[in-house]
Amino acid sequence: MKRTVKIIIGFLTISVVVIILYSADDVAILESTTKNANTPQREITRKQLRFEVKLLAVDSNEACEIADFNNDGILDISAGRNWYAGPDYAPRPLRDIGEFGIDYMENNGEHAIDMDGDGWTDILAGTFMPTEVSWYKNPGKEALKIGKLWTRNTLQETAPDNEITYLRDFDGDNKPEYVANSWVEKNEQLIWKIETDVADQSMRKCTVGSENGHGIGFGDINGDDREDILFQNGWYERPEGNPLTQTWTLHSDWDWKHSSCPMIVTDLNGDGMNDVINGSAHNYGVYWMEQLASKEGKTQWKKHIIDDSWSQAHTLAWEDLDGDGTKDLITGKRVRGHSGKDPGSEEPPVMYYYTWDKKTKIFTRRIIAEGVGTGLFIRTADLDKNGKLDIVVSGKSGTYLMLNE
C-alpha cells in the first residue's frame, strides 16, 4: 500500500512555493506564485528513484572515500577505521583513529591517492584539531587478504582547527594539491603542494590569503575561466599563471555564515554567470545565490530558498543521479553537528536529492533514504556497475551505501 506524505517548502523572495507529495513511485509538485496565493495550481508527476540502503558500520566517523583498493577491478569503500571490499562490502581493518569531545573522531577527510607510486591506492587523511596530515600505506594484495592494518606515515605539520580537507588539482599538472578549510576566520587559507617525487614525501606550503571561515567552494566567480576559492566571508580570485606561486585577490563580497562544504558553483539559470548553491551547515536551510550584475567592482547576489524545513545541510554534491543529462543536488542532514547543539539537531536524519528545472527555476525534492544522515562528504560512483550513480556517506548515524536501482 502506498503512503503519501505532504511537505511544504517556502521560497524566500517573490518566487514559488513547492508542495511535494511522496509515494513509492511518483512525486507530485504543486506550485504557486507566492507563499499565500489562492491562485490555481498546476501539478506535475515524475518518477522517483529507488535506493537499496546498506548499513556498513556504526561509529562517529564522518569521512569516506571510494576507490579500488585491492586492484581487483571492483570499487571499494573506505570510512575511518575500516575499508570495505566490493562487492560484499564486509568491514576490513584500515587504521586507528583518535576520538575527542563527546562524539567526534579525528577524521575530517580521507582521500584516495597512490603516495609512493607502487600501484596500490593509499589513503591521505586530515584531522580537525591536530596539525599533522598523515598518509596510510596500502599493504598490498596478501596483507589486505588477512586484514593487516595500513602503516601510518606523517606527511606534514600544517595548521589546526580544520573544518574539512580536500584534494584538488590547482596547477593543472594532473597531481592533486591538499587544501583545508578552517572555521577560524583569522587562519590563513593555504594550499599544500604534495611532493611525492622525493625520497621522503612532504608538502610545500602555498599561501592564498590571510582570511578563512566556515565553508568552501571552487569555481569561476568573475567569468575569467579561472577557478576561484569561495569561503564564508567572500572569495579569493585566482591569479593568471601558476596559482601556487602568485598572490590571490580577496573579495569580501558577502557574509554567508556557516556555509556548506562544499558550496556548488554552477550557472543554474543559464545567464552566463555562475551562481552558488549553499547549505546552512549549522542551521536550517538549503538555498541558491543568483549572481547579478556587479556594482562598483563588487559581486551582487539574490538569495532563493530551496528548502528550509530541515537543518544541518553541511555537505552537498552535484551529480546526475537520474541519468537525464542534468545534474541533481544531493544533500542530507548532518547528524549531531556540534554534538547536538545545532538547531534541529534532534530531528530525524534524512537524505534527499533535488532535481532542477532550468525553465521554471524550481528545485524538486525527492527522498533517497530516511534514517540516514550525512557527515562531511557525499561520495558517488557506480559501484554495482548498473550504469547509475550510487551514494556513500559516513556520519554519526553510521556509514551507508545507497545503491541506485
Side-chain angles (χ1 to χ4, degrees):
M1 183 174 67
K2 296 182 180 179
R3 180 172 60 92
T4 301
V5 180
K6 181 182 289 185
I7 300 171
I8 300 176
I9 304 171
F11 277 66
L12 179 69
T13 57
I14 297 177
S15 189
V16 296
V17 165
V18 180
I19 303 173
I20 306 174
L21 303 168
Y22 289 110
S23 72
D25 298 318
D26 48 27
V27 178
I29 313 159
L30 304 177
E31 56 178 298
S32 65
T33 56
T34 63
K35 186 173 183 179
N36 298 311
N38 294 314
T39 56
Q41 299 172 322
R42 67 187 179 88
E43 181 175 312
I44 308 166
T45 302
R46 298 189 181 98
K47 291 291 183 181
Q48 175 168 313
L49 300 177
R50 294 173 179 269
F51 293 86
E52 178 188 354
V53 180
K54 294 186 176 184
L55 174 62
L56 303 184
V58 176
D59 58 20
S60 295
N61 171 64
E62 296 190 280
C64 55
E65 180 62 291
I66 299 173
D68 181 6
F69 292 112
N70 57 358
N71 287 351
D72 65 352
I74 300 172
L75 288 174
D76 312 308
I77 297 167
S78 70
R81 296 184 175 117
N82 299 315
W83 72 284
Y84 306 83
D88 64 344
Y89 300 105
R92 293 153 170 84
L94 196 161
R95 56 183 173 127
D96 295 321
I97 302 178
E99 300 178 348
F100 72 100
I102 298 173
D103 52 7
Y104 278 89
M105 294 178 68
E106 281 292 2
N107 186 21
N108 68 353
E110 57 185 75
H111 311 286
I113 180 174
D114 184 359
M115 286 293 299
D116 53 5
D118 66 353
W120 293 87
T121 301
D122 311 303
I123 289 290
L124 179 67
T127 56
F128 288 101
M129 309 304 290
T131 60
E132 69 267 13
V133 176
S134 301
W135 69 278
Y136 294 81
K137 179 176 172 58
N138 187 327
K141 183 177 181 179
E142 297 305 319
L144 290 175
K145 285 182 179 179
I146 60 175
K148 287 284 189 179
L149 287 173
W150 302 24
T151 303
R152 178 187 175 189
N153 302 271
T154 299
L155 184 61
Q156 186 73 41
E157 296 287 336
T158 57
D161 306 321
N162 298 299
E163 183 69 23
I164 197 167
T165 64
Y166 294 96
L167 293 186
R168 198 165 189 91
D169 182 9
F170 286 97
D171 59 4
D173 66 352
N174 295 318
K175 298 178 181 179
E177 283 73 52
Y178 178 90
V179 59
N181 170 246
S182 176
W183 65 83
V184 178
E185 296 184 18
K186 66 180 181 180
N187 281 2
E188 292 181 310
Q189 178 60 65
L190 304 172
I191 298 172
W192 294 85
K193 180 67 176 177
I194 301 172
E195 306 284 2
T196 58
D197 298 330
V198 294
D200 296 317
Q201 290 84 0
S202 63
M203 298 197 301
R204 173 167 52 87
K205 177 180 174 181
C206 309
T207 301
V208 172
S210 61
E211 296 186 26
N212 218 311
H214 193 297
I216 192 167
F218 310 98
D220 181 11
I221 293 298
N222 58 341
D224 63 0
D225 294 324
R226 297 194 293 271
E227 185 178 78
D228 309 305
I229 297 177
L230 294 71
F231 67 109
Q232 172 180 282
N233 300 322
W235 58 287
Y236 285 103
E237 181 181 346
R238 176 176 172 150
E240 278 192 272
N242 189 341
L244 305 184
T245 60
Q246 300 187 67
T247 302
W248 295 58
T249 302
L250 172 62
H251 298 270
S252 301
D253 288 358
W254 58 69
D255 180 11
W256 300 342
K257 187 174 178 61
H258 288 158
S259 288
S260 58
C261 305
M263 293 175 265
I264 306 296
V265 180
T266 185
D267 182 7
L268 275 176
N269 56 9
D271 65 356
M273 294 186 292
N274 276 334
D275 310 301
V276 178
I277 307 173
N278 204 348
S280 297
H282 297 288
N283 211 322
Y284 283 86
V286 185
Y287 55 95
W288 68 279
M289 302 299 294
E290 178 183 1
Q291 185 169 183
L292 308 175
S294 297
K295 291 183 180 179
E296 299 178 355
K298 187 174 182 179
T299 58
Q300 304 293 310
W301 304 85
K302 179 181 178 181
K303 186 175 183 178
H304 301 266
I305 300 295
I306 298 172
D307 191 348
D308 59 5
S309 66
W310 57 277
S311 68
Q312 301 173 104
H314 201 287
T315 183
L316 314 175
W318 187 236
E319 301 288 350
D320 183 7
L321 269 187
D322 54 15
D324 66 353
T326 300
K327 290 187 176 182
D328 309 303
L329 173 62
I330 310 166
T331 186
K333 182 182 183 66
R334 185 185 182 190
V335 177
R336 293 183 58 77
H338 292 158
S339 297
K341 297 177 182 179
D342 286 349
S345 184
E346 298 305 316
E347 294 169 0
V350 65
M351 290 284 302
Y352 295 116
Y353 72 102
Y354 298 79
T355 58
W356 170 247
D357 189 319
K358 186 179 290 187
K359 183 179 179 181
T360 61
K361 297 180 176 58
I362 293 174
F363 276 98
T364 302
R365 187 176 89 179
R366 296 174 170 85
I367 291 176
I368 294 172
E370 294 176 314
V372 177
T374 69
L376 298 176
F377 292 86
I378 297 171
R379 302 290 195 183
T380 60
D382 183 7
L383 280 87
D384 56 3
K385 299 183 179 180
N386 69 347
K388 301 177 182 179
L389 285 179
D390 308 306
I391 302 170
V392 176
V393 295
S394 282
K396 294 173 187 175
S397 65
T399 295
Y400 288 88
L401 165 62
M402 287 158 277
L403 294 170
N404 188 348
E405 299 180 336

